[in-house]
C-alpha cells in the first residue's frame, strides 16, 4: 500500500522528498503522483517563482520509484510501454523526471520511473472504494481520478484500466525504519514492531521482471536456521537458485534461537516471532506486493530450526499454506525424552531470551508443545504438498552435526510414518551428509512448489 501524507504547516515538497526519499530533488515525483501542476508558477504575493508551494491539509501520495539511466534511442513512450505496458502513461515519467516538451531524453539522463500497478474497473466499483483499497483512505479518490485523467471521481467507468501509484508503507503493526530497494531483485526492509524488542529485518527476493511484468505472483516464505538471520539464504545463493522462477521469496528474521514461537518467558523484552510472521509480516507482504492473498498462492519452507517453523506454521494455520517443506528440520518434539524441546529451551535461554524459554522450564507448557508438534497434528497436513529431506551421514567427529541430524532423521521418519498411516501423500528424501542446506534439494523443492501453487498471471 503506497505511502500517503497530509501537509502540515511549514512543509514544502523538497523537505518532504528529503524526509521520505532522502533526496530533495524528488519533489517532482510527489507532485506528479499527487496531481500538482504549475510547479514553476509565479507567486502573486511577491512575484517570485516558487516551485514548491503546498497547502496545509493538502493530501499527497508518496510512491516508490525506479531510477533509470536513459540509453541510446530510448523515448519516454517506449519506456512507458516497457515499465507499464501503456504508452499513454509516458507523461508520468516526464513529470517525475522534470522533462517538458519532448518525448525523448538526453543520453544517459537519470529518469525517475514512478512505481505503478494497474486495475481494471469492475461494475459497481467506486473511486472512493478503490482509493481506500490502494491508498488506505477513501478521501484520496480525487487524486486517483486526476492521475487517470478522469474529471469526475464519481464516474470512473467499468472496463477502464486505472493506473494506481504503488509502494511499500507502514501497516499491520509494522513501521519501516530502514529500507533499500536499489537492487534489481533483492529488496530489504527493517521494521519496528511491538512483537519484537528489537527491529527485525526481511529480504524480499523478486522475479527479475517484477517491475515491468504487471503480473501477480505466488509467494514462498523461507525461514533460516538457528544462529542465523534474514540474510542467510542470500549467502547460500538464493538469487541463482531462483533465477528465472516466477515466484516472490520472503526471508525474514526469526531470531538466533527464536524457534518461530512466542516464548513462555522472556527477560529481554518481547520476542514473539510467531506473531511477527503470521499476524504482521504476511498481511504486510500481501498489501505491499502483487501476490495472491490466498491459500493457493502461499508456500512455506525452511532449513533446520526454520524447517521446524515451516511445519509448525502449516499445521497451526491450516488455511495459510498450500505447500510446506522442511530441509533438515525436526518434525517430532517429544521423542527421545523430548530432546528437541530441551534443545529449544536451552538454546533460546542462552542466546535469545536472557534465561527465558520457549516452552517453559523446569515444567513444559504441555498444551503449547502439542500445538507445535508436527507428529501430533497429522490431520492438519491433508490436501497440502509436503516435502521433507534429512541427512543420513553426519560427521562422526562433529558432535553438533551428529546429534542434530540424527535427531532430525529419526523425527522425520516418525512423521513420514504417521503421514503414511493417515493416507497423506508426501515427498521425502534421505541424502548423504549431515546438517547442511542442500541447494540441489532446494531446486527440486522449488519446482514442486511452483507446480503446486497458482501460477503468476495478469489479473
Amino acid at each position: 500500500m503506497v505511502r500517503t501524507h497530509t501537509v502540515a504547516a511549514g512543509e514544502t515538497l523538497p523537505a518532504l522528498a528529503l524526509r521520505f526519499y532522502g533526496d530533495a530533488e524528488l519533489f517532482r515525483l510527489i507532485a506528479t503522483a499527487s496531481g500538482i501542476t504549475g510547479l514553476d508558477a509565479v507567486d502573486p504575493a511577491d512575484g517570485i517563482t516558487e516551485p514548491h508551494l503546498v497547502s496545509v491539509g493538502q493530501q499527497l501520495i508518496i510512491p516508490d520509484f525506479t531510477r533509470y539511466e536513459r540509453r541510446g534511442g530510448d523515448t519516454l513512450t517506449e519506456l512507458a510501454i516497457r515499465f507499464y505496458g501503456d504508452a499513454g502513461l509516458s507523461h508520468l515519467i516526464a513529470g517525475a523526471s522534470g522533462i517538458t516538451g519532448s518525448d525523448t531524453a538526453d543520453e544517459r539522463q537519470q529518469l525517475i520511473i514512478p512505481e505503478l500497478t494497474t486495475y481494471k474497473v469492475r461494475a459497481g466499483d467506486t473511486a472512493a472504494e478503490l482509493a481506500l483499497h490502494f491508498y488506505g483512505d477513501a478521501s484520496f479518490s480525487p487524486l486517483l481520478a486526476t492521475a487517470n485523467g478522469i474529471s469526475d471521481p464519481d464516474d470512473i467507468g467499468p472496463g477502464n484500466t486505472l493506473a494506481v501509484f504503488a509502494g511499500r508503507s507502514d501497516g499491520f503493526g509494522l513501521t519501516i525504519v530502514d529500507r533499500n530497494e536499489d537492487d534489481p531483485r533483492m529488496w530489504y526492509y527493517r521494521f519496528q514492531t511491538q512483537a519484537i524488542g528489537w527491529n527485525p529485518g526481511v529480504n524480499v527476493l523478486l522475479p527479475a521482471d517484477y517491475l515491468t511484468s504487471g503480473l501477480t505472483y505466488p509467494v514462498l516464505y523461507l525461514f533460516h536456521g538457528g544462529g542465523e538471520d534474514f540474510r542467510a539464504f542470500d549467502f547460500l545463493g538464493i538469487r541463482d537458485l531462483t533465477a528465472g522462477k516466477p515466484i516472490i521469496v520472503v526471508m525474514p528474521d526469526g531470531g538466533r534461537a527464536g524457534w518461530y514461537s512466542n516464548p513462555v518467558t522472556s527477560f529481554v523484552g518481547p520476542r514473539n516471532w510467531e506473531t511477527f510472521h503470521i499476524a504482521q509480516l504476511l498481511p504486510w507482504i500481501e498489501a505491499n506486493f502483487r501476490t495472491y492473498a490466498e491459500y493457493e498462492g502461499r508456500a512455506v519452507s525452511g532449513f533446520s530450526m526454520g524447517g521446524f517453523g515451516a511445519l509448525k506454521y502449516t499445521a497451526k494455520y491450516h488455511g495459510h499454506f498450500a505447500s510446506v517443506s522442511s530441509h533438515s528440520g525436526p518434525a517430532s518434539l517429544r521423542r527421545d525424552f523430548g530432546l528437541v524441546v530441551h534443545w529449544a529451551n536451552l538454546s533460546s535461554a542462552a542466546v535469545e531470551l536472557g534465561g527465558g524459554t520457549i516452552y517453559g522450564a523446569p515444567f513444559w507448557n504441555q498444551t503449547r508443545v502439542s500445538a507445535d508438534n508436527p507428529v501430533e497434528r497429522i490431520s492438519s497436513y491433508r490436501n497440502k504438498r509436503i516435502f521433507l529431506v534429512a541427512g543420513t551421514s553426519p560427521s562422526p567427529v562433529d558432535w553438533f552435526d551428529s546429534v542434530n541430524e540424527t535427531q532430525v532423521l529419526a523425527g522425520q521418519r516418525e512423521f513420514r510414518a504417521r503421514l503414511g498411516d493417515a493416507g497423506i501423500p508426501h515427498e521425502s528424501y534421505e541424502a548423504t551428509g549431515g546438517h547442511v542446506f542442500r541447494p540441489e534439494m532446494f531446486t527440486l523443492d522449488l519446482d514442486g512448489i511452483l507446480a503446486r501453487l497458482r501460477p503468476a498471471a495478469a489479473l
Side-chain angles (χ1 to χ4, degrees):
M1 185 178 293
V2 72
R3 291 175 288 183
T4 61
H5 180 73
T6 301
V7 176
E11 291 182 332
T12 65
L13 286 178
L16 291 171
L18 183 63
R19 179 195 310 176
F20 287 110
Y21 301 128
D23 184 349
E25 293 303 312
L26 290 172
F27 71 89
R28 289 186 177 85
L29 172 61
I30 300 175
T32 298
S34 304
I36 299 174
T37 58
L39 288 178
D40 298 314
V42 175
D43 184 353
D46 55 17
I48 298 175
T49 298
E50 175 53 80
H52 314 318
L53 290 176
V54 285
S55 304
V56 173
Q58 187 171 353
Q59 294 176 310
L60 304 176
I61 295 172
I62 317 292
D64 288 334
F65 67 97
T66 298
R67 293 185 188 272
Y68 177 83
E69 184 177 278
R70 185 223 174 203
R71 301 175 179 89
D74 282 341
T75 67
L76 300 188
T77 297
E78 291 168 344
L79 292 175
I81 294 173
R82 185 184 311 170
F83 281 92
Y84 307 141
D86 186 346
L89 298 178
S90 62
H91 67 284
L92 299 178
I93 302 175
S97 304
I99 298 172
T100 58
S102 175
D103 186 45
T104 60
D106 296 336
E107 180 73 22
R108 305 187 68 83
Q109 181 178 1
Q110 291 289 324
L111 302 180
I112 302 301
I113 314 292
E115 188 170 333
L116 298 179
T117 188
T118 58
Y119 177 81
K120 190 170 185 178
V121 179
R122 301 167 184 168
D125 283 341
T126 68
E129 291 170 342
L130 295 178
L132 179 62
H133 175 75
F134 289 110
Y135 299 154
D137 188 337
S139 67
F140 277 78
S141 58
L143 299 189
L144 179 63
T146 299
N148 289 279
I150 297 172
S151 58
D152 183 1
D154 294 326
D155 184 15
I156 55 177
N160 286 339
T161 298
L162 303 182
V164 182
F165 289 96
R168 268 68 51 200
S169 64
D170 301 341
F172 306 96
L174 302 177
T175 300
I176 301 171
V177 295
D178 194 19
R179 61 196 285 164
N180 190 315
E181 297 170 344
D182 293 339
D183 189 276
R185 293 186 62 203
M186 188 75 81
W187 292 1
Y188 148 80
Y189 305 90
R190 192 169 291 279
F191 302 105
Q192 183 181 67
T193 166
Q194 291 186 356
I196 307 296
W198 52 279
N199 297 335
V202 60
N203 272 339
V204 180
L205 183 60
L206 302 171
D209 63 349
Y210 179 82
L211 285 175
T212 59
S213 71
L215 302 180
T216 296
Y217 294 89
V219 179
L220 168 62
Y221 292 86
L222 186 58
F223 298 148
H224 66 75
E228 300 174 333
D229 63 21
F230 72 98
R231 302 169 298 171
F233 289 102
D234 201 15
F235 299 148
L236 291 168
I238 192 67
R239 302 182 198 221
D240 290 339
L241 292 172
T242 59
K245 303 295 186 181
I247 192 168
I248 296 172
V249 184
V250 177
M251 296 162 285
D253 267 326
R256 294 179 63 81
W259 286 90
Y260 298 89
S261 297
N262 293 348
V264 169
T265 53
S266 170
F267 298 110
V268 289
R271 296 291 188 274
N272 296 315
W273 293 107
E274 187 170 336
T275 296
F276 170 60
H277 294 138
I278 300 298
Q280 297 181 326
L281 182 62
L282 188 149
W284 184 85
I285 290 290
E286 293 177 348
N288 288 285
F289 292 88
R290 298 193 310 274
T291 72
Y292 297 117
E294 60 185 52
Y295 176 74
E296 299 290 342
R298 307 188 198 102
V300 62
S301 179
F303 168 68
S304 189
M305 180 183 76
F308 163 73
L311 290 172
K312 165 189 167 170
Y313 286 168
T314 298
K316 291 187 74 173
Y317 303 94
H318 184 267
H320 281 50
F321 305 103
S323 176
V324 57
S325 314
S326 181
H327 294 256
S328 287
S332 178
L333 299 186
R334 297 184 184 275
R335 66 174 297 108
D336 298 329
F337 306 101
L339 182 59
V340 175
V341 175
H342 285 303
W343 178 242
N345 277 343
L346 288 171
S347 61
S348 63
V351 303
E352 182 80 11
L353 303 172
T357 62
I358 298 294
Y359 292 110
F363 302 108
W364 301 348
N365 182 320
Q366 298 291 348
T367 300
R368 185 169 295 194
V369 172
S370 292
D372 288 0
N373 193 2
V375 299
E376 294 183 61
R377 303 293 302 274
I378 294 299
S379 63
S380 296
Y381 295 94
R382 292 191 185 279
N383 303 315
K384 300 178 183 296
R385 173 187 175 271
I386 303 167
F387 182 98
L388 306 166
V389 61
T392 59
S393 52
S395 171
V397 298
D398 184 334
W399 175 89
F400 179 82
D401 185 61
S402 182
V403 172
N404 213 332
E405 200 65 9
T406 298
Q407 185 62 209
V408 164
L409 179 60
Q412 285 199 8
R413 285 175 172 173
E414 179 186 350
F415 182 57
R416 285 155 38 193
R418 297 198 183 188
L419 290 172
D421 291 343
I424 298 175
H426 55 280
E427 186 178 353
S428 63
Y429 299 89
E430 295 186 1
T432 57
H435 197 67
V436 295
F437 177 74
R438 296 170 170 83
E440 71 281 3
M441 286 288 102
F442 178 82
T443 298
L444 181 64
D445 182 21
L446 184 58
D447 288 340
I449 289 171
L450 287 167
R452 174 63 181 84
L453 297 187
R454 186 176 175 182
L459 296 182

